Amino acid sequence: MRNRTVWTGILVVCAVGLLVYLAFNVRLAPVPNAVAAIKTVGMTCGSCAGKIEKALKPMKGVAGVEVDVEGGWVLVGYDTNSANPEAFAGAVRKAGFQSWLREQMSLADFRRVAGRDFGAKVIRSGGCGTGRCDSGGCGSAK
């Protein structure tokens, strides 16, 4: 009986330790309640889209990023309580692309305008196909 009590105690301590570790190391994704539309110039391929996503996704309050290379748009789903949409355009500029915040809208407004929910359809282009990647594309047009 004593042996069983010891193992139960060890199991409880391990479970509590795991929960404490997860509480401090697992970041829950923000829930978007708005979408920022950023006009961007200088994107030429999917690699450019990846560079922009990499710049935006770690920002506080960002729940999702969609990049339309051909149309020159970056859409950012974000939590209005913890994010500043002007900072998104700044992060895209810092990544090497001309950009400016064009519009902020609620998820309902985005659904009405786009005819879909944010994140339901990824617009990111695949490969390059422009021939500009090797000759200074991907953010070189400042």
Side-chain angles (χ1 to χ4, degrees):
M1 183 68 154
R2 181 173 163 89
N3 231 1
R4 189 177 205 183
T5 306
V6 170
W7 283 110
T8 303
I10 290 172
L11 183 63
V12 168
V13 168
C14 288
V16 169
L18 178 63
L19 289 175
V20 168
Y21 172 79
L22 292 174
F24 287 105
N25 293 299
V26 174
R27 183 179 145 200
L28 297 176
V31 177
N33 58 9
V35 176
I38 301 168
K39 187 64 179 165
T40 303
V41 176
M43 296 185 293
T44 58
C45 64
S47 179
C48 297
K51 193 174 181 181
I52 290 169
E53 289 174 359
K54 186 177 178 181
L56 291 170
K57 283 185 175 180
M59 294 182 73
K60 185 176 180 183
V62 172
V65 178
E66 297 180 7
V67 180
D68 176 5
V69 172
E70 291 177 18
W73 290 99
V74 177
L75 302 173
V76 182
Y78 68 99
D79 175 8
T80 56
N81 295 320
S82 59
N84 175 2
E86 286 292 338
F88 303 151
V92 174
R93 281 191 296 275
K94 196 171 185 179
F97 304 90
Q98 292 179 10
S99 67
W100 55 96
L101 180 63
R102 286 291 304 265
E103 188 169 347
Q104 302 169 60
M105 61 190 97
S106 68
L107 290 177
D109 288 340
F110 177 82
R111 189 177 306 111
R112 190 171 23 81
V113 170
R116 65 180 178 87
D117 289 327
F118 180 80
K121 174 183 167 190
V122 177
I123 332 172
R124 180 178 173 179
S125 297
C128 185
T130 64
R132 291 182 267 177
C133 288
D134 296 330
S135 58
C138 299
S140 64
K142 288 189 177 186

